[in-house]
Amino acid sequence: MARIEKVIARRVWDSRGRPTVEVEIGTSSGAWARGIAPAGASRGSAEAIDLRDGGGRFGGMDIQQALRGIREEITPRLLGFDVSDQEGIDAALIELDGSPNKARLGGNATIATSLAALQAAAASHQMPLWRYLAGDTSVCLPIPQIQIFGGGAHAGRRVDIQDFMVIATGAKSFQQALEMTAEVYAAAGKLMGSRSGLMGVADEGGWWPNFSSNEEALDVLVQAIEAAGYAPGKEIAIALDIAASEFGREGSYRLALDDRTMGSQSWTEVLLGWLDKYPIVSIEDPLAEDDEAGLIEFTRSAGKNVQIVGDDYLVTNAARVEHAADVGACNAVLIKPNQAGTVTETRAALLAAQARGFATIVSARSGETEDTAIVHLATGWNAGQLKVGSFARSERMAKWNEAIRLEDSGLVSGGFIGRAALAGSR
Ligand code: PGA
Ligand code: ZN
């Protein structure tokens, strides 16, 4: 048995140039491994809390308090733990924190520690993480959702919708899905350049959304798929993250770009119109986190055909997923480890979803690093889908490239899952 002998907490920097927490764990087996906390910008209100120092330094985003908690409270508690006892380690983190949402020690502190322990356990078993997680079960490589235009909170709210993504539904391998997406990403860049001049990229690497309406972005996305030589809807389909909690509250939705304010029902009609007009196979947070009635209605109208993903609404929480399944809201869940704050709670949300027939998508955050753990979680837990942002910037490409390595190893016996992973019949 490998025991935790050393825990090191340090500040590193994320893809937005902001401080974040890294934890490194050393074990009696000689294995060392680390985990790094990512950070969201359009967060659900029930997520685990990122502990930030406030004050003037680095826009108040420093994480010295979180590091202190790891050094003074978490480390003494974890020393001597069996590093493979993930549930025990995570239970200790939850108990130490003592708050309902990791507000005291910080979800950034607990997830970095939890992921470091998981990686150290896999290293102690001399296994790649995905394999350690999969055990003897046959698992598949996920199908990727890849952003072409960024928007919402990731692009200064230039457009209201947050993620305009593609899913290479015609791909037969992960490698091929990336090849197809690379062509669409390049074609979209060319189109943007010829329309209005390129204006760089948004937080997750998608092209800056220089559009005069939200719908125009959808039109250009379809054009980009065609310009890349693919049939929209047949070979490459569209996935959206509306992130409606960013512009909807108490049943009122304010689209700044389109200069319209609508009730839940009218907004739903707009979305259903888009589903009719465009080859959309997946739609995330179509209504705000506080609009459960709207989500139920939307799922009733569109959930047979289209994947409806809960992110802000479900916040990687098993009880919330079970409740959503009971009331008929959504048919898929986004799985973000730092929304839960520990690996064990993340896994519980994923298992609850799989047990209820929900599709599952392991996801990065808009603030990311070189950490590729989520690719292994998506594969080892057989999540079926992976969302990492766009096809540019190395905090994103590190994840796509890691998935290529897993595929190339030939050891993922289930192969590439393809479009079968999506909820909905489209
Ligand atoms: P975030 O957004 O990482 O900025 O919170 C990502 C998402 O909404 O899926
Ligand atoms: Zn989202």
Side-chain angles (χ1 to χ4, degrees):
M1 185 207 307
R3 296 200 173 276
I4 296 179
E5 284 188 340
K6 194 116 185 115
V7 180
I8 298 170
R10 67 169 67 88
R11 182 181 66 196
V12 294
W13 302 86
D14 75 10
S15 56
R16 280 190 278 249
R18 292 177 182 161
T20 193
V21 179
E22 172 173 292
V23 173
E24 211 166 344
I25 286 183
T27 72
S28 57
S29 68
W32 278 89
R34 61 177 176 249
I36 312 181
S42 80
R43 291 187 294 267
S45 53
E47 291 189 18
I49 298 291
D50 252 357
L51 189 61
R52 303 278 175 179
D53 296 347
R57 282 196 99 201
F58 312 129
M61 303 294 253
D62 209 358
I63 41 86
Q64 299 302 330
Q65 287 180 64
L67 295 182
R68 204 169 310 127
I70 298 169
R71 289 173 188 143
E72 292 175 5
E73 298 190 53
I74 292 177
T75 301
R77 181 69 181 269
L78 293 190
L79 290 179
F81 250 90
D82 173 2
V83 75
S84 304
D85 180 11
Q86 188 73 41
E87 284 181 22
I89 290 167
D90 290 339
L93 292 173
I94 292 164
E95 188 199 304
L96 260 184
D97 172 73
S99 76
N101 56 358
K102 316 281 189 305
R104 202 179 70 78
L105 291 173
N108 42 356
T110 59
I111 195 60
T113 307
S114 186
L115 283 170
L118 179 69
Q119 295 274 20
S124 295
H125 286 82
Q126 297 179 309
M127 285 182 196
L129 179 56
W130 75 267
R131 177 123 227 181
Y132 175 68
L133 293 169
D136 292 331
T137 38
S138 171
V139 295
C140 295
L141 283 154
I143 187 168
Q145 296 195 3
I146 306 183
Q147 187 192 72
I148 304 299
F149 302 118
H154 303 157
R157 299 181 198 284
R158 179 66 187 74
V159 298
D160 302 284
I161 308 308
Q162 183 178 283
D163 292 326
F164 297 87
M165 298 173 287
V166 293
I167 301 182
T169 47
K172 299 283 182 282
S173 67
F174 199 93
Q175 178 81 256
Q176 192 189 3
L178 295 187
E179 286 172 7
M180 294 165 78
T181 306
E183 303 278 24
V184 176
Y185 184 73
K190 242 190 211 161
L191 276 170
M192 293 307 278
S194 63
R195 287 160 46 89
S196 53
L198 266 185
M199 300 212 162
V201 298
D203 278 8
E204 297 188 357
W207 300 112
W208 189 261
N210 200 26
F211 299 110
S212 50
S213 71
N214 290 289
E215 212 170 311
E216 192 190 5
L218 283 162
D219 290 328
V220 177
L221 185 50
V222 171
Q223 287 167 29
I225 294 169
E226 286 167 344
Y230 294 107
K234 291 213 166 62
E235 296 166 294
I236 300 189
I238 293 176
L240 298 177
D241 181 1
I242 305 292
S245 310
E246 293 288 311
F247 58 85
R249 184 175 297 245
E250 290 173 0
S252 174
Y253 293 83
R254 165 82 195 145
L255 290 187
L257 184 61
D258 302 345
D259 195 19
R260 277 182 81 184
T261 303
M262 282 164 277
S264 181
Q265 240 171 353
S266 314
W267 173 232
T268 295
E269 277 158 29
V270 170
L271 290 173
L272 292 175
W274 288 355
L275 294 183
D276 279 342
K277 188 168 168 196
Y278 300 101
I280 295 165
V281 291
S282 181
I283 186 162
E284 181 178 329
D285 285 347
L287 294 121
E289 62 180 11
D290 67 354
D291 190 358
E292 185 166 84
L295 280 164
I296 293 168
E297 191 49 45
F298 188 78
T299 305
R300 195 176 303 150
S301 304
K304 269 206 176 60
N305 301 325
V306 175
Q307 174 165 278
I308 301 167
V309 185
D311 172 14
D312 292 352
Y313 168 62
L314 297 175
V315 292
T316 314
N317 179 290
R320 282 175 171 257
V321 170
E322 278 161 7
H323 168 78
D326 285 346
V327 298
C330 302
N331 56 23
V333 59
L334 210 68
I335 298 288
K336 292 168 163 171
N338 80 325
Q339 282 185 326
T342 63
V343 169
T344 302
E345 289 162 287
T346 304
R347 179 152 184 270
L350 181 121
L351 290 175
Q354 289 175 337
R356 296 305 192 99
F358 271 37
T360 56
I361 304 130
V362 173
S363 171
R365 302 306 302 248
S366 51
E368 268 295 331
T369 68
E370 68 274 24
D371 194 316
T372 60
I374 56 165
V375 179
H376 289 260
L377 300 183
T379 306
W381 285 342
N382 212 17
Q385 298 175 65
L386 177 64
K387 180 188 178 204
V388 165
S390 194
F391 206 67
R393 303 182 31 147
S394 277
E395 79 279 5
R396 314 290 149 189
M397 304 318 287
K399 275 82 160 169
W400 304 134
N401 290 342
E402 183 73 355
I404 287 179
R405 291 181 199 107
L406 300 196
E407 183 165 73
D408 202 38
S409 74
L411 297 171
V412 183
S413 62
F416 176 66
I417 196 164
R419 66 171 303 150
L422 274 80
S425 60
R426 259 194 190 175

PDB file of all heavy atoms in Angstrom, residues 2-32:
ATOM      1  N   ALA A   2       0.531   2.205  -0.854  1.00  0.00           N
ATOM      2  CA  ALA A   2       1.295   3.460  -0.914  1.00  0.00           C
ATOM      3  C   ALA A   2       0.642   4.505  -0.011  1.00  0.00           C
ATOM      4  O   ALA A   2      -0.568   4.732  -0.100  1.00  0.00           O
ATOM      5  CB  ALA A   2       1.344   3.969  -2.351  1.00  0.00           C
ATOM      6  N   ARG A   3       1.449   5.096   0.852  1.00  0.00           N
ATOM      7  CA  ARG A   3       0.909   6.116   1.766  1.00  0.00           C
ATOM      8  C   ARG A   3       1.321   7.516   1.326  1.00  0.00           C
ATOM      9  O   ARG A   3       2.378   7.696   0.726  1.00  0.00           O
ATOM     10  CB  ARG A   3       1.417   5.869   3.187  1.00  0.00           C
ATOM     11  CG  ARG A   3       0.928   4.562   3.754  1.00  0.00           C
ATOM     12  CD  ARG A   3       0.998   4.515   5.273  1.00  0.00           C
ATOM     13  NE  ARG A   3       0.362   3.300   5.757  1.00  0.00           N
ATOM     14  CZ  ARG A   3      -0.945   3.165   5.964  1.00  0.00           C
ATOM     15  NH1 ARG A   3      -1.764   4.186   5.737  1.00  0.00           N
ATOM     16  NH2 ARG A   3      -1.448   2.025   6.389  1.00  0.00           N
ATOM     17  N   ILE A   4       0.464   8.481   1.656  1.00  0.00           N
ATOM     18  CA  ILE A   4       0.806   9.869   1.335  1.00  0.00           C
ATOM     19  C   ILE A   4       1.902  10.331   2.294  1.00  0.00           C
ATOM     20  O   ILE A   4       1.739  10.299   3.509  1.00  0.00           O
ATOM     21  CB  ILE A   4      -0.436  10.780   1.451  1.00  0.00           C
ATOM     22  CG1 ILE A   4      -1.482  10.371   0.403  1.00  0.00           C
ATOM     23  CG2 ILE A   4      -0.047  12.252   1.287  1.00  0.00           C
ATOM     24  CD1 ILE A   4      -2.768  11.181   0.430  1.00  0.00           C
ATOM     25  N   GLU A   5       3.049  10.745   1.732  1.00  0.00           N
ATOM     26  CA  GLU A   5       4.178  11.178   2.566  1.00  0.00           C
ATOM     27  C   GLU A   5       4.435  12.673   2.466  1.00  0.00           C
ATOM     28  O   GLU A   5       5.038  13.252   3.362  1.00  0.00           O
ATOM     29  CB  GLU A   5       5.452  10.424   2.152  1.00  0.00           C
ATOM     30  CG  GLU A   5       5.470   8.994   2.667  1.00  0.00           C
ATOM     31  CD  GLU A   5       6.801   8.300   2.442  1.00  0.00           C
ATOM     32  OE1 GLU A   5       7.570   8.755   1.569  1.00  0.00           O
ATOM     33  OE2 GLU A   5       7.034   7.296   3.136  1.00  0.00           O
ATOM     34  N   LYS A   6       3.990  13.247   1.359  1.00  0.00           N
ATOM     35  CA  LYS A   6       4.301  14.655   1.168  1.00  0.00           C
ATOM     36  C   LYS A   6       3.150  15.335   0.406  1.00  0.00           C
ATOM     37  O   LYS A   6       2.604  14.751  -0.541  1.00  0.00           O
ATOM     38  CB  LYS A   6       5.587  14.745   0.340  1.00  0.00           C
ATOM     39  CG  LYS A   6       6.234  16.063   0.325  1.00  0.00           C
ATOM     40  CD  LYS A   6       7.636  16.017   0.998  1.00  0.00           C
ATOM     41  CE  LYS A   6       8.220  17.413   1.075  1.00  0.00           C
ATOM     42  NZ  LYS A   6       8.429  17.957   2.371  1.00  0.00           N
ATOM     43  N   VAL A   7       2.769  16.519   0.826  1.00  0.00           N
ATOM     44  CA  VAL A   7       1.781  17.324   0.094  1.00  0.00           C
ATOM     45  C   VAL A   7       2.384  18.722  -0.082  1.00  0.00           C
ATOM     46  O   VAL A   7       2.756  19.352   0.902  1.00  0.00           O
ATOM     47  CB  VAL A   7       0.441  17.443   0.860  1.00  0.00           C
ATOM     48  CG1 VAL A   7      -0.558  18.284   0.067  1.00  0.00           C
ATOM     49  CG2 VAL A   7      -0.143  16.066   1.171  1.00  0.00           C
ATOM     50  N   ILE A   8       2.503  19.134  -1.330  1.00  0.00           N
ATOM     51  CA  ILE A   8       3.062  20.464  -1.603  1.00  0.00           C
ATOM     52  C   ILE A   8       1.984  21.294  -2.291  1.00  0.00           C
ATOM     53  O   ILE A   8       1.379  20.847  -3.264  1.00  0.00           O
ATOM     54  CB  ILE A   8       4.301  20.365  -2.517  1.00  0.00           C
ATOM     55  CG1 ILE A   8       5.403  19.562  -1.823  1.00  0.00           C
ATOM     56  CG2 ILE A   8       4.807  21.757  -2.903  1.00  0.00           C
ATOM     57  CD1 ILE A   8       6.557  19.201  -2.731  1.00  0.00           C
ATOM     58  N   ALA A   9       1.740  22.484  -1.765  1.00  0.00           N
ATOM     59  CA  ALA A   9       0.771  23.390  -2.397  1.00  0.00           C
ATOM     60  C   ALA A   9       1.528  24.586  -2.949  1.00  0.00           C
ATOM     61  O   ALA A   9       2.374  25.152  -2.260  1.00  0.00           O
ATOM     62  CB  ALA A   9      -0.261  23.853  -1.374  1.00  0.00           C
ATOM     63  N   ARG A  10       1.223  24.945  -4.187  1.00  0.00           N
ATOM     64  CA  ARG A  10       1.886  26.138  -4.745  1.00  0.00           C
ATOM     65  C   ARG A  10       0.926  26.896  -5.658  1.00  0.00           C
ATOM     66  O   ARG A  10      -0.057  26.332  -6.146  1.00  0.00           O
ATOM     67  CB  ARG A  10       3.153  25.759  -5.500  1.00  0.00           C
ATOM     68  CG  ARG A  10       2.943  24.951  -6.759  1.00  0.00           C
ATOM     69  CD  ARG A  10       4.241  24.858  -7.562  1.00  0.00           C
ATOM     70  NE  ARG A  10       5.269  24.070  -6.888  1.00  0.00           N
ATOM     71  CZ  ARG A  10       5.411  22.745  -7.009  1.00  0.00           C
ATOM     72  NH1 ARG A  10       4.606  22.051  -7.787  1.00  0.00           N
ATOM     73  NH2 ARG A  10       6.335  22.104  -6.354  1.00  0.00           N
ATOM     74  N   ARG A  11       1.258  28.158  -5.877  1.00  0.00           N
ATOM     75  CA  ARG A  11       0.491  28.963  -6.820  1.00  0.00           C
ATOM     76  C   ARG A  11       1.085  28.806  -8.211  1.00  0.00           C
ATOM     77  O   ARG A  11       2.287  28.990  -8.391  1.00  0.00           O
ATOM     78  CB  ARG A  11       0.536  30.438  -6.417  1.00  0.00           C
ATOM     79  CG  ARG A  11      -0.288  31.325  -7.354  1.00  0.00           C
ATOM     80  CD  ARG A  11      -0.221  32.787  -6.952  1.00  0.00           C
ATOM     81  NE  ARG A  11       1.118  33.312  -7.127  1.00  0.00           N
ATOM     82  CZ  ARG A  11       1.556  34.450  -6.572  1.00  0.00           C
ATOM     83  NH1 ARG A  11       0.758  35.153  -5.814  1.00  0.00           N
ATOM     84  NH2 ARG A  11       2.783  34.850  -6.767  1.00  0.00           N
ATOM     85  N   VAL A  12       0.232  28.453  -9.176  1.00  0.00           N
ATOM     86  CA  VAL A  12       0.620  28.516 -10.586  1.00  0.00           C
ATOM     87  C   VAL A  12      -0.390  29.449 -11.265  1.00  0.00           C
ATOM     88  O   VAL A  12      -1.233  30.050 -10.587  1.00  0.00           O
ATOM     89  CB  VAL A  12       0.660  27.112 -11.245  1.00  0.00           C
ATOM     90  CG1 VAL A  12       1.760  26.259 -10.634  1.00  0.00           C
ATOM     91  CG2 VAL A  12      -0.683  26.410 -11.154  1.00  0.00           C
ATOM     92  N   TRP A  13      -0.352  29.566 -12.597  1.00  0.00           N
ATOM     93  CA  TRP A  13      -1.159  30.565 -13.301  1.00  0.00           C
ATOM     94  C   TRP A  13      -1.999  29.882 -14.368  1.00  0.00           C
ATOM     95  O   TRP A  13      -1.533  28.959 -15.027  1.00  0.00           O
ATOM     96  CB  TRP A  13      -0.241  31.614 -13.926  1.00  0.00           C
ATOM     97  CG  TRP A  13       0.618  32.279 -12.896  1.00  0.00           C
ATOM     98  CD1 TRP A  13       1.822  31.839 -12.433  1.00  0.00           C
ATOM     99  CD2 TRP A  13       0.314  33.476 -12.161  1.00  0.00           C
ATOM    100  NE1 TRP A  13       2.294  32.686 -11.459  1.00  0.00           N
ATOM    101  CE2 TRP A  13       1.390  33.702 -11.275  1.00  0.00           C
ATOM    102  CE3 TRP A  13      -0.758  34.371 -12.168  1.00  0.00           C
ATOM    103  CZ2 TRP A  13       1.422  34.790 -10.411  1.00  0.00           C
ATOM    104  CZ3 TRP A  13      -0.722  35.460 -11.303  1.00  0.00           C
ATOM    105  CH2 TRP A  13       0.361  35.664 -10.431  1.00  0.00           C
ATOM    106  N   ASP A  14      -3.230  30.352 -14.537  1.00  0.00           N
ATOM    107  CA  ASP A  14      -4.120  29.689 -15.508  1.00  0.00           C
ATOM    108  C   ASP A  14      -4.090  30.406 -16.863  1.00  0.00           C
ATOM    109  O   ASP A  14      -3.318  31.350 -17.064  1.00  0.00           O
ATOM    110  CB  ASP A  14      -5.539  29.529 -14.932  1.00  0.00           C
ATOM    111  CG  ASP A  14      -6.342  30.823 -14.911  1.00  0.00           C
ATOM    112  OD1 ASP A  14      -5.908  31.844 -15.501  1.00  0.00           O
ATOM    113  OD2 ASP A  14      -7.434  30.817 -14.305  1.00  0.00           O
ATOM    114  N   SER A  15      -4.936  29.943 -17.779  1.00  0.00           N
ATOM    115  CA  SER A  15      -4.904  30.428 -19.168  1.00  0.00           C
ATOM    116  C   SER A  15      -5.358  31.876 -19.319  1.00  0.00           C
ATOM    117  O   SER A  15      -5.183  32.472 -20.374  1.00  0.00           O
ATOM    118  CB  SER A  15      -5.760  29.517 -20.052  1.00  0.00           C
ATOM    119  OG  SER A  15      -7.082  29.446 -19.537  1.00  0.00           O
ATOM    120  N   ARG A  16      -5.981  32.434 -18.261  1.00  0.00           N
ATOM    121  CA  ARG A  16      -6.330  33.865 -18.307  1.00  0.00           C
ATOM    122  C   ARG A  16      -5.282  34.704 -17.579  1.00  0.00           C
ATOM    123  O   ARG A  16      -5.487  35.891 -17.355  1.00  0.00           O
ATOM    124  CB  ARG A  16      -7.716  34.089 -17.673  1.00  0.00           C
ATOM    125  CG  ARG A  16      -8.869  33.758 -18.616  1.00  0.00           C
ATOM    126  CD  ARG A  16     -10.217  34.220 -18.044  1.00  0.00           C
ATOM    127  NE  ARG A  16     -10.735  33.261 -17.103  1.00  0.00           N
ATOM    128  CZ  ARG A  16     -11.812  32.503 -17.320  1.00  0.00           C
ATOM    129  NH1 ARG A  16     -12.485  32.612 -18.442  1.00  0.00           N
ATOM    130  NH2 ARG A  16     -12.220  31.657 -16.405  1.00  0.00           N
ATOM    131  N   GLY A  17      -4.160  34.046 -17.178  1.00  0.00           N
ATOM    132  CA  GLY A  17      -3.120  34.768 -16.447  1.00  0.00           C
ATOM    133  C   GLY A  17      -3.500  35.049 -15.012  1.00  0.00           C
ATOM    134  O   GLY A  17      -2.999  35.984 -14.395  1.00  0.00           O
ATOM    135  N   ARG A  18      -4.409  34.210 -14.463  1.00  0.00           N
ATOM    136  CA  ARG A  18      -4.832  34.400 -13.075  1.00  0.00           C
ATOM    137  C   ARG A  18      -4.221  33.320 -12.190  1.00  0.00           C
ATOM    138  O   ARG A  18      -3.969  32.197 -12.654  1.00  0.00           O
ATOM    139  CB  ARG A  18      -6.359  34.318 -12.975  1.00  0.00           C
ATOM    140  CG  ARG A  18      -7.030  35.484 -13.660  1.00  0.00           C
ATOM    141  CD  ARG A  18      -8.532  35.330 -13.608  1.00  0.00           C
ATOM    142  NE  ARG A  18      -9.188  36.427 -14.310  1.00  0.00           N
ATOM    143  CZ  ARG A  18     -10.435  36.387 -14.748  1.00  0.00           C
ATOM    144  NH1 ARG A  18     -11.172  35.306 -14.547  1.00  0.00           N
ATOM    145  NH2 ARG A  18     -10.955  37.416 -15.377  1.00  0.00           N
ATOM    146  N   PRO A  19      -4.052  33.620 -10.903  1.00  0.00           N
ATOM    147  CA  PRO A  19      -3.496  32.620  -9.987  1.00  0.00           C
ATOM    148  C   PRO A  19      -4.424  31.412  -9.863  1.00  0.00           C
ATOM    149  O   PRO A  19      -5.652  31.566  -9.902  1.00  0.00           O
ATOM    150  CB  PRO A  19      -3.442  33.358  -8.643  1.00  0.00           C
ATOM    151  CG  PRO A  19      -3.522  34.808  -8.975  1.00  0.00           C
ATOM    152  CD  PRO A  19      -4.349  34.898 -10.222  1.00  0.00           C
ATOM    153  N   THR A  20      -3.822  30.227  -9.718  1.00  0.00           N
ATOM    154  CA  THR A  20      -4.631  29.057  -9.382  1.00  0.00           C
ATOM    155  C   THR A  20      -3.810  28.101  -8.517  1.00  0.00           C
ATOM    156  O   THR A  20      -2.620  28.297  -8.316  1.00  0.00           O
ATOM    157  CB  THR A  20      -5.227  28.371 -10.629  1.00  0.00           C
ATOM    158  OG1 THR A  20      -6.236  27.441 -10.188  1.00  0.00           O
ATOM    159  CG2 THR A  20      -4.192  27.636 -11.451  1.00  0.00           C
ATOM    160  N   VAL A  21      -4.504  27.089  -7.975  1.00  0.00           N
ATOM    161  CA  VAL A  21      -3.901  26.195  -6.988  1.00  0.00           C
ATOM    162  C   VAL A  21      -3.366  24.934  -7.652  1.00  0.00           C
ATOM    163  O   VAL A  21      -4.093  24.271  -8.397  1.00  0.00           O
ATOM    164  CB  VAL A  21      -4.961  25.765  -5.937  1.00  0.00           C
ATOM    165  CG1 VAL A  21      -4.360  24.806  -4.915  1.00  0.00           C
ATOM    166  CG2 VAL A  21      -5.570  26.977  -5.264  1.00  0.00           C
ATOM    167  N   GLU A  22      -2.103  24.621  -7.365  1.00  0.00           N
ATOM    168  CA  GLU A  22      -1.546  23.322  -7.761  1.00  0.00           C
ATOM    169  C   GLU A  22      -1.162  22.563  -6.492  1.00  0.00           C
ATOM    170  O   GLU A  22      -0.585  23.136  -5.577  1.00  0.00           O
ATOM    171  CB  GLU A  22      -0.309  23.513  -8.637  1.00  0.00           C
ATOM    172  CG  GLU A  22       0.422  22.196  -8.919  1.00  0.00           C
ATOM    173  CD  GLU A  22       1.553  22.338  -9.935  1.00  0.00           C
ATOM    174  OE1 GLU A  22       1.231  22.593 -11.117  1.00  0.00           O
ATOM    175  OE2 GLU A  22       2.728  22.200  -9.548  1.00  0.00           O
ATOM    176  N   VAL A  23      -1.482  21.280  -6.475  1.00  0.00           N
ATOM    177  CA  VAL A  23      -1.070  20.413  -5.363  1.00  0.00           C
ATOM    178  C   VAL A  23      -0.270  19.256  -5.920  1.00  0.00           C
ATOM    179  O   VAL A  23      -0.643  18.656  -6.933  1.00  0.00           O
ATOM    180  CB  VAL A  23      -2.294  19.887  -4.574  1.00  0.00           C
ATOM    181  CG1 VAL A  23      -1.868  18.849  -3.537  1.00  0.00           C
ATOM    182  CG2 VAL A  23      -3.016  21.038  -3.896  1.00  0.00           C
ATOM    183  N   GLU A  24       0.836  18.977  -5.232  1.00  0.00           N
ATOM    184  CA  GLU A  24       1.667  17.843  -5.624  1.00  0.00           C
ATOM    185  C   GLU A  24       1.704  16.879  -4.441  1.00  0.00           C
ATOM    186  O   GLU A  24       1.828  17.317  -3.295  1.00  0.00           O
ATOM    187  CB  GLU A  24       3.066  18.351  -5.945  1.00  0.00           C
ATOM    188  CG  GLU A  24       3.760  17.546  -6.993  1.00  0.00           C
ATOM    189  CD  GLU A  24       4.995  18.265  -7.546  1.00  0.00           C
ATOM    190  OE1 GLU A  24       5.150  19.476  -7.347  1.00  0.00           O
ATOM    191  OE2 GLU A  24       5.787  17.576  -8.173  1.00  0.00           O
ATOM    192  N   ILE A  25       1.562  15.603  -4.746  1.00  0.00           N
ATOM    193  CA  ILE A  25       1.547  14.594  -3.678  1.00  0.00           C
ATOM    194  C   ILE A  25       2.626  13.550  -3.938  1.00  0.00           C
ATOM    195  O   ILE A  25       2.771  13.055  -5.064  1.00  0.00           O
ATOM    196  CB  ILE A  25       0.138  13.954  -3.562  1.00  0.00           C
ATOM    197  CG1 ILE A  25      -0.806  14.964  -2.893  1.00  0.00           C
ATOM    198  CG2 ILE A  25       0.187  12.640  -2.781  1.00  0.00           C
ATOM    199  CD1 ILE A  25      -2.211  14.470  -2.648  1.00  0.00           C
ATOM    200  N   GLY A  26       3.400  13.271  -2.896  1.00  0.00           N
ATOM    201  CA  GLY A  26       4.418  12.220  -2.969  1.00  0.00           C
ATOM    202  C   GLY A  26       4.013  11.062  -2.074  1.00  0.00           C
ATOM    203  O   GLY A  26       3.420  11.265  -1.009  1.00  0.00           O
ATOM    204  N   THR A  27       4.307   9.832  -2.523  1.00  0.00           N
ATOM    205  CA  THR A  27       3.855   8.664  -1.763  1.00  0.00           C
ATOM    206  C   THR A  27       5.035   7.768  -1.384  1.00  0.00           C
ATOM    207  O   THR A  27       6.130   7.884  -1.936  1.00  0.00           O
ATOM    208  CB  THR A  27       2.872   7.810  -2.589  1.00  0.00           C
ATOM    209  OG1 THR A  27       3.616   7.140  -3.613  1.00  0.00           O
ATOM    210  CG2 THR A  27       1.783   8.647  -3.208  1.00  0.00           C
ATOM    211  N   SER A  28       4.754   6.832  -0.479  1.00  0.00           N
ATOM    212  CA  SER A  28       5.793   5.905  -0.006  1.00  0.00           C
ATOM    213  C   SER A  28       6.247   4.959  -1.112  1.00  0.00           C
ATOM    214  O   SER A  28       7.301   4.337  -1.012  1.00  0.00           O
ATOM    215  CB  SER A  28       5.260   5.095   1.180  1.00  0.00           C
ATOM    216  OG  SER A  28       4.074   4.418   0.795  1.00  0.00           O
ATOM    217  N   SER A  29       5.462   4.857  -2.191  1.00  0.00           N
ATOM    218  CA  SER A  29       5.877   4.013  -3.321  1.00  0.00           C
ATOM    219  C   SER A  29       6.877   4.740  -4.209  1.00  0.00           C
ATOM    220  O   SER A  29       7.376   4.174  -5.175  1.00  0.00           O
ATOM    221  CB  SER A  29       4.659   3.613  -4.163  1.00  0.00           C
ATOM    222  OG  SER A  29       4.143   4.761  -4.817  1.00  0.00           O
ATOM    223  N   GLY A  30       7.124   6.003  -3.902  1.00  0.00           N
ATOM    224  CA  GLY A  30       8.024   6.801  -4.739  1.00  0.00           C
ATOM    225  C   GLY A  30       7.295   7.577  -5.820  1.00  0.00           C
ATOM    226  O   GLY A  30       7.894   8.377  -6.525  1.00  0.00           O
ATOM    227  N   ALA A  31       5.987   7.328  -5.961  1.00  0.00           N
ATOM    228  CA  ALA A  31       5.213   8.026  -7.003  1.00  0.00           C
ATOM    229  C   ALA A  31       4.929   9.471  -6.587  1.00  0.00           C
ATOM    230  O   ALA A  31       4.619   9.749  -5.424  1.00  0.00           O
ATOM    231  CB  ALA A  31       3.896   7.293  -7.242  1.00  0.00           C
ATOM    232  N   TRP A  32       5.041  10.372  -7.538  1.00  0.00           N
ATOM    233  CA  TRP A  32       4.695  11.781  -7.362  1.00  0.00           C
ATOM    234  C   TRP A  32       3.675  12.147  -8.424  1.00  0.00           C
ATOM    235  O   TRP A  32       3.776  11.670  -9.562  1.00  0.00           O
ATOM    236  CB  TRP A  32       5.913  12.677  -7.593  1.00  0.00           C
ATOM    237  CG  TRP A  32       6.803  12.801  -6.416  1.00  0.00           C
ATOM    238  CD1 TRP A  32       7.853  11.996  -6.109  1.00  0.00           C
ATOM    239  CD2 TRP A  32       6.724  13.790  -5.385  1.00  0.00           C
ATOM    240  NE1 TRP A  32       8.443  12.418  -4.948  1.00  0.00           N
ATOM    241  CE2 TRP A  32       7.767  13.523  -4.479  1.00  0.00           C
ATOM    242  CE3 TRP A  32       5.874  14.873  -5.130  1.00  0.00           C
ATOM    243  CZ2 TRP A  32       7.989  14.296  -3.342  1.00  0.00           C
ATOM    244  CZ3 TRP A  32       6.093  15.638  -3.994  1.00  0.00           C
ATOM    245  CH2 TRP A  32       7.140  15.355  -3.113  1.00  0.00           C
TER     246      TRP A  32
END
